[in-house]
């Protein structure tokens, strides 16, 4: 980025006594497609989310250039290198346009001074540490949710981003989807009266079979993949498929995450907080009941019901029994929002239409226009595009780390409430439970050496 600025300054003609030419030749600048004029990006983690979400979501922008890929499973690295190079070949018509560099260890990638930013699409338990190290290496970051495995490491990450001033965008892309912003704006501007209840629909996960230990596949650094979590014998359905990119088994193991409460939960809790005006705080109490598998390898929660109370008087319920999405209930009506198709009417682009993705107790609620003097929320049409724009402008992205950490915290304390009976009192300012040592013991985990955020020198 500094080199780009230097060259651009030369192009403006400030030379004089140094003897440089007044006009810098085009081949020196390299044109708009030169690496120096791109945001050079490294991809950390080459699984399902990287291939279907982060890479396609970023490479479509001309200002971005995917220049390197990294994964602990060598065949995934090789296949993703091929995927990226084929995309650029098709886009540019040049077969040798891009030679994507492969890394087996993301720490080596972070030493590459030509890389401006990284996308982290690793398993949940490998989010906070590489994000912290990337920030300390001077890279901007797109981080998949959930932001952390524990509340302790989430706070560590937030503090590192604050200290370094890097741009970190959390992958809670519902913020860049029109209906979620519109729903939150309508609620925040009183269109359903005083908000008192929010109902969040989240599924659980099924149990699975027992699985015997298997030989570790060639080219897979399984010890590093386990990271800071305890050592355990390798078996394929505990990790990811060796062929294809279907949903991986680690998502259903508590060693590596918390299940759907974080998988879908951070999306919906983040969006709910937008409408509840609680983005920078959290509940003051939480309680939950849940079913857990009694046999088999997979052990994350199944069906569950949770209740969280907030200091502003709002009560939030979460259950798989509700429709997947968020329902805001106020004194004068309700609004429901979820993923799916949503569009404005062709005759009036500003008008809202009823759909499965955005619905209300009265159609007039959705037809309401937010006035100039009312609250207008951060508007983004694309999560990855917003990240790239903010890398250039250095403005805060639509999903910054502090908001992401707070949404992830709601997921994690709900998961703790599934484990610890009774109503738990939570202090969102101090980020701990009040007078409950058992619940507080879940706020951090021991970290297997040599991995873990506690070993990152910030």
């Amino acid at each position: 980025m500094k080199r780009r600025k230097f060259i651009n300054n030369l192009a403006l003609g400030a030379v004089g006594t140094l003897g440089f030419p007044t006009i810098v030749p085009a081949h020196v600048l390299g044109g708009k497609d030169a690496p120096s004029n791109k945001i050079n990006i490294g991809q950390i983690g080459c699984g399902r989310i990287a291939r279907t979400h982060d890479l396609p979501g970023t490479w479509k922008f001309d200002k971005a250039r995917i220049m390197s890929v990294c994964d602990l499973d060598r065949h995934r690295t090789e296949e993703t290198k091929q995927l990226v190079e084929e995309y650029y070949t098709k886009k540019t018509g040049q077969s040798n346009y891009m030679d994507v560099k492969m890394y087996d260890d993301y720490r080596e990638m972070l030493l590459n001074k030509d890389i401006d930013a990284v996308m982290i699409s690793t398993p949940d338990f490998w989010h906070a540490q590489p994000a912290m190290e990337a920030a300390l290496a001077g890279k901007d970051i797109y981080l998949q949710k959930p932001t952390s495995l524990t509340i302790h490491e989430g706070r560590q990450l937030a503090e590192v981003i604050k200290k370094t001033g890097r741009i970190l965008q959390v992958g809670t892309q519902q913020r860049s989807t029109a209906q979620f912003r519109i729903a939150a704006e309508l609620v925040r501007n009183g269109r359903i009266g005083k908000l008192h209840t929010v109902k969040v629909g989240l599924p659980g996960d099924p149990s699975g079979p027992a699985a015997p230990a298997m030989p570790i596949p060639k080219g897979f650094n399984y010890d590093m993949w386990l990271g800071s979590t305890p050592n355990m014998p390798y078996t394929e359905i505990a990790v990811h498929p060796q062929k294809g990119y279907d949903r991986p088994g680690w998502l259903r193991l508590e060693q590596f995450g918390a299940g759907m409460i974080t998988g879908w939960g951070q999306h919906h809790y983040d969006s709910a907080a937008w409408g509840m005006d609680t983005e920078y705080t959290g509940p003051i109490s939480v309680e939950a009941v849940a079913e857990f598998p009694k046999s088999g390898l997979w052990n994350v929660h199944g069906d569950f019901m949770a209740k969280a109370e907030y200091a502003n008087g709002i009560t939030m319920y979460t259950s798989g029994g509700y429709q997947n999405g968020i329902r805001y209930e106020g004194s004068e009506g309700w609004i429901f929002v979820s993923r799916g198709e949503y569009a404005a009417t062709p005759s009036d682009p500003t008008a809202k239409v009823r759909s499965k993705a955005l619905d209300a107790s009265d159609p007039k609620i959705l037809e309401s226009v937010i006035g100039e003097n009312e609250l207008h929320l951060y508007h983004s049409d694309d999560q990855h595009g917003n990240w790239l724009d903010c890398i250039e402008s250095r403005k805060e992205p639509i999903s910054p780390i502090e908001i992401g950490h707070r949404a992830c915290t709601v997921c994690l304390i709900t998961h703790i409430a599934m484990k610890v009976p009774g109503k738990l009192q939570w202090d969102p300012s101090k980020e701990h439970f009040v007078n409950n040592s058992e619940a507080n013991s879940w706020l951090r985990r021991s970290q297997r050496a040599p991995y873990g955020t506690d070993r990152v020198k910030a």
Side-chain angles (χ1 to χ4, degrees):
M1 300 289 275
K2 290 181 180 178
R3 174 175 175 266
R4 188 181 312 154
K5 184 176 180 181
F6 173 72
I7 291 176
N8 287 339
N9 285 341
L10 290 182
L12 294 176
V15 252
T17 57
L18 294 179
F20 288 111
T22 303
I23 299 176
V24 178
H27 74 270
V28 175
L29 291 173
K32 68 180 180 67
D33 290 327
S36 59
N37 292 324
K38 300 282 188 179
I39 299 172
N40 294 313
I41 298 170
Q43 174 65 51
I44 301 175
C46 297
R48 177 179 61 113
I49 294 298
R51 295 171 64 91
T52 62
H53 185 70
D54 289 333
L55 289 168
T58 303
W59 67 30
K60 66 183 179 182
F61 293 97
D62 286 340
K63 66 179 68 178
R65 176 179 181 263
I66 312 299
M67 63 174 293
S68 61
V69 294
C70 175
D71 198 277
L72 294 172
D73 196 330
R74 186 67 179 185
H75 87 268
R76 287 191 159 202
T77 315
E78 293 170 347
E79 289 180 357
T80 305
K81 169 185 167 69
Q82 181 180 358
L83 177 73
V84 175
E85 290 179 351
E86 287 177 350
Y87 169 80
Y88 282 121
T89 295
K90 183 177 180 181
K91 182 177 181 178
T92 65
Q94 303 175 42
S95 59
N96 61 347
Y97 175 79
M98 181 71 68
D99 180 14
V100 174
K101 183 172 178 56
M102 295 188 295
Y103 291 91
D104 297 314
D105 188 326
Y106 73 88
R107 293 170 296 189
E108 294 180 17
M109 175 189 284
L110 295 180
L111 295 175
N112 187 334
K113 301 296 185 183
D114 292 332
I115 295 175
D116 302 312
V118 296
M119 294 189 291
I120 300 175
S121 316
T122 49
D124 295 0
F125 58 101
W126 260 118
H127 283 180
Q129 182 177 347
M132 290 171 62
E133 291 170 329
L136 293 167
K139 316 298 184 187
D140 295 315
I141 305 140
Y142 190 98
L143 178 64
Q144 271 301 329
K145 54 78 210 163
T147 49
S148 63
L149 183 64
T150 68
I151 292 166
H152 170 71
E153 66 179 20
R155 175 49 59 198
Q156 284 182 296
L157 172 58
E159 292 305 313
V160 167
I161 297 303
K162 181 179 178 181
K163 175 182 177 180
T164 60
R166 305 318 303 172
I167 299 298
L168 187 149
Q169 177 87 297
V170 179
T172 45
Q173 70 272 10
Q174 288 178 180
R175 281 187 176 248
S176 294
T177 307
Q179 63 262 34
F180 287 95
R181 174 181 49 80
I182 291 167
E185 280 186 336
L186 291 170
V187 172
R188 294 274 291 271
N189 284 290
R191 296 304 194 272
I192 59 172
K194 181 174 175 54
L195 179 65
H196 55 76
T197 304
V198 175
K199 294 176 180 176
V200 178
L202 287 177
D205 264 316
S207 60
M214 300 169 62
I216 298 171
K218 183 180 179 181
F220 180 35
N221 186 345
Y222 180 58
D223 180 77
M224 188 173 181
W225 185 90
L226 287 170
S228 63
T229 75
N231 200 0
M232 67 172 285
Y234 171 83
T235 187
E236 186 174 352
I237 69 166
V239 184
H240 56 249
Q242 280 299 297
K243 291 185 178 180
Y245 292 87
D246 290 339
R247 190 168 186 254
W250 63 259
L251 284 164
R252 298 176 180 179
L253 276 167
E254 287 199 330
Q255 176 165 338
F256 308 127
M260 293 299 281
I261 194 62
T262 49
W264 264 95
Q266 185 158 347
H267 285 302
H268 283 352
Y269 286 150
D270 174 73
S271 296
W274 215 7
M276 294 162 62
D277 192 18
T278 57
E279 296 167 283
Y280 291 96
T281 183
I284 56 173
S285 73
V286 62
E287 51 192 311
V289 292
E291 294 181 356
F292 289 89
K294 296 180 174 59
S295 62
L297 178 69
W298 294 331
N299 58 3
V300 295
H301 71 85
D303 290 340
F304 74 102
M305 180 77 185
K307 176 183 178 181
E309 297 174 316
Y310 287 76
N312 61 5
I314 299 172
T315 302
M316 181 172 68
Y317 297 95
T318 311
S319 175
Y322 299 134
Q323 183 179 353
N324 193 319
I326 304 158
R327 179 181 166 109
Y328 300 100
E329 297 181 356
S331 58
E332 298 175 25
W334 56 263
I335 291 175
F336 173 78
V337 62
S338 66
R339 295 188 186 183
E341 292 186 5
Y342 171 79
T345 57
S347 59
D348 182 4
T350 64
K352 319 320 184 282
V353 296
R354 294 171 69 95
S355 72
K356 291 182 179 180
L358 184 63
D359 200 2
S361 53
D362 185 336
K364 293 181 180 178
I365 294 174
L366 303 183
E367 295 165 3
S368 174
V369 176
I370 306 299
E372 289 185 9
N373 296 325
E374 293 187 284
L375 175 67
H376 291 260
L377 298 175
Y378 195 137
H379 188 168
S380 164
D381 293 320
D382 190 285
Q383 196 79 354
H384 292 88
N386 174 257
W387 175 56
L388 296 172
D389 289 344
C390 292
I391 289 175
E392 292 182 323
S393 70
R394 311 314 294 174
K395 294 180 179 178
E396 186 171 76
I398 193 168
S399 297
I401 183 56
E402 184 62 32
I403 289 178
H405 169 62
R406 293 290 182 168
C408 186
T409 293
V410 180
C411 303
L412 295 171
I413 64 173
T414 302
H415 179 246
I416 293 169
M418 294 178 186
K419 301 287 187 176
V420 181
K423 186 174 184 177
L424 305 177
Q425 304 298 323
W426 175 251
D427 185 333
S429 61
K430 295 180 179 179
E431 294 187 326
H432 71 195
F433 293 99
V434 180
N435 299 326
N436 195 313
S437 58
E438 181 183 1
N440 282 324
S441 70
W442 285 81
L443 298 181
R444 62 189 302 165
R445 299 188 188 189
S446 59
Q447 298 179 341
R448 185 175 69 100
Y451 310 105
T453 56
D454 290 341
R455 294 174 175 84
V456 177
K457 296 181 180 179

